[in-house]
Amino acid sequence: MSSIKLDIPSFAANQLSLLAAELAAETSQNVLQLSTHSPRTLSRAGLATTNLTLSSQRTGLGGKTVLELEQDTAVGGEELGEHGIRVGDIVRVGHQPKGGEKKAEKKSIEERRLEGVIVRVGQKVVQIALDKEGDEGDGLAGRLWV
């Protein structure tokens, strides 16, 4: 059996560059989908969850704000329904735009979105740890979407 020497630093550098390329490709694909499709269309495709409300907010590990979102009881049942959101996904949380809103109002809604990471996904709730330390879920009232 012949032994092959593996150069660990070059292997690690190669893997990091591949991961960076994958992240860039996914980010550009998601930006394109978010800009061209409505939240309802994304929800039907399993890429988003709509009609959520803020049920609780707490401080999590490392001082991050953790939001707990659940299905709006006025819209449907208690369960979230089918979606493709998993723990570790990077998501944006924002107000769900209404159909009759003007473009300027929709732009202001998009600017107020918060970014975070999915911490826990259950049948009834989704927990999201917000990325930036200054981010608070204070302005999140009404229907939201992830």
Side-chain angles (χ1 to χ4, degrees), residues 68-114:
E68 186 170 294
L69 305 173
E70 64 183 9
Q71 185 74 30
D72 188 1
T73 55
V75 175
E78 294 180 3
E79 294 188 6
L80 293 175
E82 297 295 322
H83 58 79
I85 298 173
R86 299 180 312 247
V87 172
D89 284 351
I90 300 171
V91 296
R92 286 185 179 168
V93 181
H95 289 280
Q96 190 169 324
K98 297 176 180 121
E101 289 183 346
K102 297 179 180 172
K103 285 187 178 185
E105 294 171 347
K106 287 183 182 180
K107 265 197 171 171
S108 70
I109 287 174
E110 288 177 14
E111 291 172 358
R112 291 181 300 194
R113 286 187 188 161
L114 302 174

Side-chain angles (χ1 to χ4, degrees), residues 35-49:
S35 64
T36 57
H37 299 295
S38 69
R40 186 175 185 156
T41 306
L42 293 171
S43 178
R44 277 192 247 137
L47 300 174
T49 304

